[in-house]
């Protein structure tokens, strides 16, 4: 699996021989690869006017391009905002609530992300083909798809340490701009143009996987909630800044020197225990989630946690943990 930003073909359909050669070496003679573009065909075509574009078929004959559009900007942020507003309205009726849940389209975004990740995973697992994923900059929906596909395919990414490594590799080091995307959240009246809950969408998709495969992920929902909280407001430096350059260059933020790592805190023995799934049983198989509408559910543990007590659920999980440890 590869990921990148869009090719800069521009309106004159410029070619890059080095890029063509690079992608050509990925495939053997007679093999076919798949390019999954997370933009619509129309959006990719329009990007040529500003210097972007797609891979021309004539220049990349062994690669088949598939368009699977995923929202990444203002529409996704507005969907998140509408969902939060609906969840915090205590006066709404059941019928009104269901209507607002459907109209905000958040679950549609979850379904689309999981579907695209499953497509990438199927190309690799069933077609035994190489896959290149890109959108525009390669720092948003591209990372969403590649990270989810790895959780689906690779059992090591479903362990607590493996999942941390996945986040470090696919989100932090790959340059997801956390500072811009998670600037204020849905609770703020200010709306920044570059704000969008892509990382939250990823966490929601992982929660859907954990719900459909309750024994296959070593970590619990508590870890996902902690990651969400720290992406928006944290005492640690793991999610600060927009890229590795900003984190490392001394004249900028000095994140590495001035802050502690969230991973170091999570992996302390006393803390680590809090984030483990007591039902975990290692599963070496690929996990294929259902993306049918009835299978995608609202993440109540996040979106309703301030208006619905989790006391009884927490007590139930504590009892499960006790029974597992005593057996």
């Amino acid at each position: 699996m590869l990921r990148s930003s869009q090719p800069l073909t521009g309106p004159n359909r410029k070619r890059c021989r080095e890029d063509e050669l690079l992608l050509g070496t990925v495939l053997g003679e007679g093999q076919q690869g798949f390019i999954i573009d997370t933009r619509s065909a129309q959006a990719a075509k329009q990007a040529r006017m500003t210097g972007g574009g797609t891979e021309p078929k004539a220049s990349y004959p062994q690669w088949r391009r598939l368009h699977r559009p995923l929202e990444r900007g203002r529409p996704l942020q507005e969907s998140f905002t509408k969902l939060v507003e609906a969840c915090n309205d205590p006066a709404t009726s059941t019928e009104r609530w269901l209507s607002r849940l459907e109209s905000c389209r958040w679950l549609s975004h979850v379904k689309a992300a999981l579907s695209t990740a499953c497509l990438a995973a199927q190309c690799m697992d069933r077609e035994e083909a190489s896959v290149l994923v890109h959108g525009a900059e390669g720092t948003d929906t591209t990372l969403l798809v590649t990270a989810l596909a790895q959780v689906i395919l690779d059992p090591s990414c479903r362990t607590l340490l493996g999942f941390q490594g996945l986040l470090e590799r696919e989100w932090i080091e790959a340059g997801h701009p956390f500072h811009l995307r998670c600037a204020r959240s849905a609770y703020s009246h200010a709306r920044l143009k570059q704000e969008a809950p892509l990382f939250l969408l990823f966490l929601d998709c992982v929660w859907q996987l954990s719900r459909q495969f309750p024994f296959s992920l070593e970590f619990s929902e508590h870890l996902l909630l902690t990651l969400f909280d720290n992406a928006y407001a944290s005492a640690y430096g793991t999610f600060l800044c927009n890229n590795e350059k900003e984190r490392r260059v001394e004249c900028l933020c000095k994140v590495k020197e001035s802050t502690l790592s969230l991973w170091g805190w999570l992996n302390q023995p006393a803390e680590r225990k809090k984030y483990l799934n007591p039902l975990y049983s290692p599963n070496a198989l690929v996990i294929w989630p259902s993306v049918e509408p009835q299978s995608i559910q609202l993440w109540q543990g996040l979106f309703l946690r301030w208006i619905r007590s989790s006391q009884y659920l927490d007590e139930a999980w504590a009892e499960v943990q006790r029974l597992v440890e005593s057996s």
Side-chain angles (χ1 to χ4, degrees):
M1 178 179 288
L2 305 93
R3 49 174 163 75
S4 71
S5 58
Q6 64 181 327
L8 304 180
T9 56
N12 297 323
R13 295 178 179 265
K14 294 181 294 184
R15 296 180 63 178
C16 179
R17 303 288 184 179
E18 293 80 5
D19 187 64
E20 295 169 15
L21 179 62
L22 177 64
L23 289 188
T25 58
V26 172
L27 306 176
E29 186 176 353
Q31 289 185 323
Q32 184 184 52
F34 294 90
I35 297 174
I36 298 179
D37 195 324
T38 59
R39 304 166 295 176
S40 67
Q42 182 63 26
K45 184 177 180 180
Q46 291 175 347
R48 288 208 303 265
M49 303 308 297
T50 55
T54 59
E55 296 81 359
K57 293 181 181 179
S59 303
Y60 299 83
Q62 291 179 271
W63 293 87
R64 179 186 174 191
R65 190 171 68 249
L66 305 172
H67 289 277
R68 293 295 183 273
L70 297 175
E71 297 288 0
R72 70 181 185 93
R74 180 169 293 179
L76 187 62
Q77 178 66 21
E78 290 178 351
S79 176
F80 177 38
T81 302
K82 290 178 181 178
L83 175 58
V84 169
E85 291 173 349
C87 290
N88 286 279
D89 183 359
T92 187
S93 64
T94 300
E95 183 177 350
R96 173 66 175 162
W97 154 249
L98 293 175
S99 175
R100 293 181 69 175
L101 177 61
E102 182 179 3
S103 64
C104 76
R105 300 191 65 250
W106 179 260
L107 296 184
S108 297
H109 297 310
V110 173
K111 171 183 167 61
L114 282 173
S115 298
T116 306
C118 284
L119 174 63
Q122 287 170 357
C123 290
M124 297 183 66
D125 182 66
R126 297 179 179 177
E127 301 292 334
E128 297 184 349
S130 296
V131 175
L132 167 64
V133 183
H134 71 64
E137 290 82 15
T139 57
D140 290 292
T141 53
T142 302
L143 308 184
L144 173 66
V145 173
T146 57
L148 282 175
Q150 289 178 67
V151 176
I152 291 170
L153 289 171
D154 188 354
S156 69
C157 292
R158 300 175 217 142
T159 65
L160 181 60
L161 283 176
F163 190 66
Q164 293 174 38
L166 175 74
L167 297 180
E168 186 73 27
R169 179 177 67 250
E170 296 297 315
W171 288 91
I172 298 171
E173 293 179 354
H176 180 66
F178 283 97
H179 178 67
L180 291 174
R181 300 293 184 262
C182 304
R184 296 179 181 274
S185 88
Y187 291 94
S188 172
H189 294 292
R191 294 289 177 261
L192 303 182
K193 289 183 178 180
Q194 299 192 60
E195 193 171 5
L198 267 300
F199 186 62
L200 168 58
L201 182 58
F202 167 73
L203 296 177
D204 198 328
C205 290
V206 174
W207 178 81
Q208 303 289 338
L209 292 173
S210 71
R211 190 186 58 79
Q212 294 189 28
F213 300 93
F215 304 103
S216 296
L217 277 67
E218 187 184 26
F219 49 88
S220 66
E221 178 188 42
H222 185 35
L223 175 69
L224 302 178
L225 292 171
T226 300
L227 291 170
F228 166 76
D229 290 339
N230 279 270
Y232 280 92
S234 180
Y236 301 89
T238 302
F239 297 114
L240 292 180
C241 304
N242 293 311
N243 50 56
E244 283 296 278
K245 178 182 178 181
E246 290 185 7
R247 296 184 189 99
R248 292 181 182 275
V249 176
E250 291 187 4
C251 62
L252 295 176
C253 299
K254 296 185 179 181
V255 170
K256 301 292 183 180
E257 297 83 359
S258 305
T259 67
L260 298 176
S261 168
L262 175 63
W263 312 135
W265 173 64
L266 289 179
N267 291 319
Q268 296 178 88
E271 291 296 325
R272 186 177 188 275
K273 182 179 178 181
K274 301 176 183 178
Y275 301 99
L276 294 177
N277 173 14
L279 301 178
Y280 175 62
S281 177
N283 177 8
L285 302 176
V286 177
I287 55 174
W288 296 110
S290 169
V291 293
E292 295 299 322
Q294 63 269 26
S295 299
I296 306 297
Q297 296 187 10
L298 179 69
W299 185 4
Q300 297 185 31
L302 173 64
F303 294 111
L304 300 180
R305 64 173 167 168
W306 303 121
I307 61 174
R308 192 194 65 170
S309 173
S310 62
Q311 173 188 351
Y312 299 115
L313 184 60
D314 293 341
E315 291 175 353
W317 274 111
E319 180 64 15
V320 170
Q321 182 105 33
R322 187 189 66 79
L323 290 173
V324 170
E325 291 175 351
S326 62
S327 62

